[in-house]
Every structure is written in C-alpha cells, then in structure tokens.
Amino acid sequence: KQEVTQIPAALSVPEGENLVLNCSFTDSAIYNLQWFRQDPGKGLTSLLLIQSSQREQTSGRLNASLDKSSGRSTLYIAASQPGDSATYLCAVYPEYGNKLVFGAGTILRVKS
Amino acid sequence: EAGVAQSPRYKIIEKRQSVAFWCNPISGHATLYWYQQILGQGPKLLIQFQNNGVVDDSQLPKDRFSAERLKGVDSTLKIQPAKLEDSAVYLCASSLSLEEGGSYEQYFGPGTRLTVT
C-alpha cells in the first residue's frame, strides 16, 4: 500500500529565505508526482507535475525534484514571500492503480 | 478554459439530515474524482468515474454515501443520513487519462465545506 509522508508538518520562515519541503513515498512504482498548494478554505492548486521519467520541473521560484528509486521528492521555494504562506501537499499517482495518494501536507508561514 | 466548478461552497446541516454536492469538471475531461478532506489531513479519494462508469469506490461508505455521473459530465455526491464525522471539505477533481493524451494531472475545484452539527 502506497504511503506518502511530508516533513516538516509545519514551517515558519522570515521573508526572503530559500526553503525546502520534503516528500517521501513507500512504493517507487509511480506514473507521476504532483505538488499542490492549498490556501485556507480553498481547493487545491496544482503547482508542478513531474512524470516518472523526469528528474525535476521548474516554475518561476519553484523547483521540484524527483528521485523515484529512493522514493523522495523535494519542493524548493526561492526567495520566499508572505504570499507563499499556505499548505503544500505532495501526491503520487501509482503505476498499478488509479488513485492519487496524498501526504498530510506542510503548513508554511512566511513572516514579513 | 473554465476550471472545475462546485456548489454549494458551504453547507451546515444537522446530523441525520441529507445533503448533496454538485460538480462540473473541465470540458473534455472524462475522469472525475470526489475526495474527502478532513481538517489537518490530505484528501482521501471517495470515488472515481471514467465517463459515467465507476472505476474505484472502495473507500466510499456506501451505507450513507452515493454518487452518480449519469451523462458522463457533471456529478452529484450525496450523504444520507449525515454523521458528525462527515464534517470535512469535499473536493471534486478531473483529469485526462493517458489514453486521452493526458498525464493524469488532476485539476481541483474550490471544494464544499460541510459542517454537521
């Protein structure tokens, strides 16, 4: 059974810092891995999707990496801003199955 | 391109009452998902449709939850009767499968926050 773990559960940083959010998964047989952002009371916004054959994806100040063999992904946020404050969720789509499996998320607070 | 639409956005009901949620996926997306997200947890898949057929409903509490997607487009999720532990955000998502030229990337609606008192 695929399990996804996100560390840390919560993170508070001053504005301008670079930061890394971690995601690990127990079964390396995945189609893709997706990072989402969730603002309080809102739905999920897709940030980056990494196919299993890819090593990383970049969008603006965000960079996500994938090491499928070790079951790890990181989301790197450069020059953090107060507007980045949200919950960040990692999810994997297993090769053998059809349900996206989510981690519990990392709550990020960027202080101005 | 319009995103995934959901209604209502908020709902407060008493236990043992019934409630229904509606979702309209992105145009052309054959796959539709309903998730339940309890506070402090990641979303949990309740049911997945491919067109109007059910692909996976293994985590749907079938004694009280039901869902349908009769014409393969919009969908409704119903809870009857509701329990206190059903208080959560109900998220709808849609995607294109590999067979449809997609990558299973899921697009989510804004969700419906349900409070059962």
Side-chain angles (χ1 to χ4, degrees), chain B residues 17-21 64-65 77-82 86 90 114:
Chain B
Q17 286 187 322
S18 62
V19 64
F21 312 127
R64 298 183 301 105
F65 286 64
L77 175 69
K78 297 179 182 177
I79 308 175
Q80 182 180 16
D86 297 332
Y90 291 84
L114 173 67

Side-chain angles (χ1 to χ4, degrees), chain A residues 5-13 19-23 88 104-108:
Chain A
T5 303
Q6 291 187 247
I7 294 173
L11 183 62
S12 182
V13 300
L19 57 99
V20 175
L21 307 182
N22 296 292
C23 171
Y88 290 80
T106 293
I107 302 171
L108 174 65

Side-chain angles (χ1 to χ4, degrees), chain A residues 23-44:
Chain A
C23 171
S24 62
F25 46 97
T26 54
D27 188 340
S28 62
I30 63 170
Y31 267 133
N32 61 42
L33 182 144
Q34 207 169 346
W35 281 94
F36 295 90
R37 170 186 172 136
Q38 186 172 34
D39 292 288
K42 302 288 180 63
L44 277 64

Side-chain angles (χ1 to χ4, degrees), chain A residues 32 34 38 43 46 98-99, chain B residues 37 48 55-56 58 103 105:
Chain A
N32 61 42
Q34 207 169 346
Q38 186 172 34
S46 180
N98 47 35
K99 61 180 74 173
Chain B
Q37 186 179 22
Q48 177 183 344
V55 175
D56 186 335
S58 58
S103 61
E105 181 171 8

Side-chain angles (χ1 to χ4, degrees), chain B residues 33-111:
Chain B
Y33 314 80
W34 282 103
Y35 291 87
Q36 179 192 60
Q37 186 179 22
I38 293 171
L39 188 65
Q41 299 180 16
K44 181 186 79 173
L45 180 71
L46 292 176
I47 188 166
Q48 177 183 344
F49 292 96
Q50 180 76 17
N51 296 306
N52 60 350
V54 175
V55 175
D56 186 335
D57 64 356
S58 58
Q59 298 191 92
L60 186 74
K62 298 180 185 63
D63 57 335
R64 298 183 301 105
F65 286 64
S66 65
E68 61 183 14
R69 193 184 184 199
L70 294 176
K71 296 182 180 178
V73 180
D74 55 352
S75 175
T76 56
L77 175 69
K78 297 179 182 177
I79 308 175
Q80 182 180 16
K83 293 185 175 182
L84 295 177
E85 58 261 36
D86 297 332
S87 293
V89 176
Y90 291 84
L91 297 161
C92 179
S94 68
S95 72
L96 282 171
S97 67
L98 293 177
E99 291 75 19
E100 297 162 332
S103 61
Y104 294 115
E105 181 171 8
Q106 296 192 17
Y107 299 85
F108 282 76

